[in-house]
Amino acid sequence: ITGSDPDGLPVIISSTALPAGATLTALTGQPAGVATSRLLYTPGFAAAGSYNVWFRVREATPPLADSEQVTITVIEAGPQSPVITPLNAAYQVNVDNDILRLWLRATDVDSPPPTFSMYGSPILPWNSVLVDSANGRGSFRFDPIANQQDSVYTVNFVATSNDGRADTATVVITVINGICGDADGSQIVSVSDCVYLINYIFAGGPAPTTLRGGDPDGSCITSVSDAVYLINYIFGGGPAPNCICGQ
């Protein structure tokens, strides 16, 4: 929205009756006697209707003004599909003392909370289970066994509304036999794993590729003591990584 004054005097743009969620922002760097403001409006799902908005441009002094009315019409969007909160595209899970847990969430703006289901492409992994909490949330748990090592599973999570509309999130799960203390998944234990753990713990870096990789001291959690444990093992001749959780 642009307004100007033929005399080159400063002008101000304002508005009334903006719909909820709309903003009018003055832009800088305009020539003398000219003002420009930008209207941004993203209507919510329930905002269908017509809105009569007045825009006004006036001189700072004296108070001479001009105005114009604009009608904004928001069209009904129709039935909406559920939306699943994004998951990572790929996960690794270790066959030894490692359980993959995923927390699922989905929203549906015009229906009750969607329900969760899953299917495999072509099959679901053994020892996996999906729990639908019936409130737009769910959980997936997978505890692999030894003979699933080196298997790759494609799992599709589906959120379905009460009218049959659906959204799908697909993840690829690889079952590995991770090395204790191999935080970065390089298949060896080295100083890079110490750096990897420190970056994860203190700088928000990526998580260890497996539970075993991030728990060399066997404490069942990944903490600064695991980084210290690895440093002592590599540089101080300390004990080797011991990933028997709780022992």
Side-chain angles (χ1 to χ4, degrees):
I1 299 94
T2 298
S4 62
D5 184 273
D7 302 318
L9 298 174
V11 291
I12 299 171
I13 294 175
S14 60
S15 63
T16 59
L18 285 178
T23 59
L24 186 68
T25 305
L27 304 183
T28 60
Q30 305 302 301
V34 176
T36 300
S37 293
R38 178 175 56 206
L39 174 71
L40 293 179
Y41 178 39
T42 301
F45 178 76
S50 294
Y51 303 88
N52 294 320
V53 180
W54 281 94
F55 296 103
R56 184 170 184 255
V57 56
R58 67 176 178 85
E59 295 177 343
T61 56
L64 301 178
D66 186 24
S67 60
E68 182 175 349
Q69 186 187 63
V70 174
T71 300
I72 300 174
T73 301
V74 181
I75 301 172
E76 170 61 49
Q80 300 293 293
S81 297
V83 177
I84 297 177
T85 300
L87 299 166
N88 292 337
Y91 296 88
Q92 287 185 338
V93 59
N94 198 79
V95 296
D96 190 1
N97 294 330
D98 204 359
I99 299 174
L100 177 64
R101 293 182 176 89
L102 302 179
W103 307 106
L104 308 175
R105 294 187 179 187
T107 57
D108 192 333
V109 296
D110 62 351
S111 294
T115 58
F116 278 107
S117 60
M118 68 176 180
Y119 65 93
S121 300
I123 61 171
L124 288 168
W126 307 326
N127 312 311
S128 66
V129 62
L130 173 69
V131 176
D132 181 10
S133 300
N135 59 357
R137 301 189 179 191
S139 62
F140 170 78
R141 184 180 185 274
F142 175 34
D143 184 6
I145 58 177
N147 64 1
Q148 289 176 288
Q149 180 179 328
D150 299 326
S151 298
V152 179
Y153 300 96
T154 299
V155 179
N156 306 279
F157 299 105
V158 183
T160 306
S161 65
N162 61 355
D163 64 358
R165 295 175 181 271
D167 186 27
T168 302
T170 300
V171 301
V172 177
I173 303 171
T174 303
V175 183
I176 64 173
N177 188 3
I179 298 173
C180 186
D182 177 25
D184 62 4
S186 63
Q187 298 302 302
I188 60 172
V189 177
S190 66
V191 66
S192 66
D193 296 298
C194 304
V195 174
Y196 194 96
L197 285 177
I198 292 171
N199 185 49
Y200 165 65
I201 295 167
F202 294 106
T209 55
T210 65
L211 177 64
R212 286 169 58 85
D215 185 30
D217 66 358
S219 64
C220 303
I221 61 172
T222 298
S223 66
V224 66
S225 65
D226 293 295
V228 173
Y229 192 99
L230 278 187
I231 291 171
N232 186 45
Y233 165 65
I234 295 170
F235 296 105
N242 171 27
C243 287
I244 303 177
C245 182
Q247 298 186 22

